[in-house]
Amino acid sequence: NAEAKVRRLRDDLAQANRLSILGQIAAGVAHEINQPVAAIRTYAENAGRFLDRGKTEPASGNLTSIVSMTERIGAITNTLRTFARRPGVAASPLPVREAIDGALSLLSGRIRDSGVTIVKPQGNPSPMVMASRIRLEQILVNLLQNALDAVKDQPDPRIEIDLAERDDRVLISVRDNGPGLGPEAAGNLFMPFQTTKEKGLGLGLVISQEIAQELGGTLQLDPGSAKGASFTIDLRRIE
Ligand code: ADP
């Protein structure tokens, strides 16, 4: 029937979109890793030349640079590995509040140190979704980490988590009162390696969106937040 057809089309589209995201990640990773690898080679060759001439001090400087470049490569591969390992990836009926509590407890140390006010979902909707708890927590942790980064310099830092049910959907949103995103930044948000942070990798949102799609849902930036940024995860509700 028509409804099944529409759903299949949407699934196909989601699948095509996922493959294109994975392709972009792969291409981006190749690029991001090639650069430091080439630099490491140059530094190592030069270090060898310095040592040949008995100049240990510049040689040791080169080695220090090499270490910092391998750290960046390590950060990239670690992020991808956590994502690819798919721990407990089997989906089962999951109360969304459990994943929210799980994500908050994973970040409890950082939340405490930051002095940010965290507002948990009000009321008592207690929707269930079909998802691996670890996967949903991964998305929430990414969103919360970004929100924590965003409110760092705010006078009254605040992050609100909302939970809403609409028809057969569950909407989980994470809203902060940080500086928000200009239209340009918003356009590039889900592209791999787009980051404004000094130590950022620009993989968090791409990977989170990929996981949301794997769970049969979406992750989006909410349009036109008056202040700060708000992201919404949209998943299918189950009984
Ligand atoms: P990373 O955190 O490593 O930079 P992400 O993919 O998680 O990678 O985020 C990409 C970029 O999107 C960030 O560098 C930041 O500029 C922007 N961003 C994400 N979340 C927020 C937010 N809550 N408020 C403002 N900017 C954000």
Side-chain angles (χ1 to χ4, degrees):
N1 63 23
E3 204 181 314
K5 219 166 163 179
V6 167
R7 184 169 307 151
R8 201 160 51 235
L9 204 63
R10 205 176 55 195
D11 288 351
D12 286 352
L13 264 175
Q15 182 64 14
N17 193 14
R18 288 186 54 198
L19 292 177
S20 100
I21 291 175
L22 291 174
Q24 282 176 40
I25 294 179
V29 167
H31 178 76
E32 291 291 309
I33 289 183
N34 260 336
Q35 270 175 311
V37 166
I40 284 171
R41 186 188 168 118
T42 308
Y43 276 103
E45 284 169 352
N46 288 338
R49 285 192 199 108
F50 285 132
L51 289 178
D52 286 345
R53 287 183 267 139
K55 296 183 172 172
T56 53
E57 208 171 298
S60 125
N62 279 13
L63 295 178
T64 306
S65 304
I66 288 174
V67 169
S68 79
M69 282 181 258
T70 61
E71 272 163 8
R72 175 157 178 92
I73 296 175
I76 293 174
T77 52
N78 273 335
T79 304
L80 293 174
R81 199 168 46 203
T82 333
F83 166 61
R85 205 190 285 129
R86 318 205 154 203
V89 80
S92 60
L94 172 77
V96 171
R97 278 178 192 269
E98 258 184 34
I100 294 174
D101 289 339
L104 287 173
S105 91
L106 285 169
L107 292 172
S108 59
R110 187 171 167 200
I111 289 172
R112 202 174 331 108
D113 295 346
S114 66
V116 174
T117 305
I118 303 279
V119 182
K120 295 217 291 182
Q122 307 292 302
N124 54 359
S126 198
M128 306 274 289
V129 296
M130 200 64 186
S132 138
R133 176 181 162 145
I134 292 171
R135 297 306 252 177
L136 186 51
E137 280 179 4
Q138 265 182 319
I139 304 180
L140 288 165
V141 164
N142 270 326
L143 295 180
L144 289 166
Q145 278 176 328
N146 280 342
L148 286 165
D149 289 339
V151 298
K152 211 169 44 201
D153 299 322
Q154 294 301 309
D156 179 21
R158 188 182 166 88
I159 299 172
E160 265 176 68
I161 306 169
D162 270 337
L163 197 50
E165 294 171 291
R166 197 169 302 152
D167 303 324
D168 69 336
R169 315 300 302 177
V170 179
L171 308 177
I172 315 161
S173 52
V174 176
R175 188 166 64 238
D176 64 66
N177 66 352
L181 290 134
E184 201 183 323
N188 292 329
L189 209 52
F190 292 98
M191 308 274 274
F193 301 103
Q194 295 290 332
T195 182
T196 54
K197 300 172 195 168
E198 202 190 331
K199 298 233 153 172
L201 292 177
L203 285 174
L205 286 175
V206 199
I207 286 178
S208 296
Q209 191 177 51
E210 159 61 26
I211 297 174
Q213 291 181 359
E214 176 192 300
L215 300 177
T218 59
L219 167 65
Q220 277 169 328
L221 172 71
D222 301 325
S225 321
K227 164 119 183 69
S230 170
F231 289 85
T232 296
I233 308 164
D234 176 328
L235 297 173
R236 186 199 298 273
R237 186 167 63 89
I238 59 166
E239 292 306 325

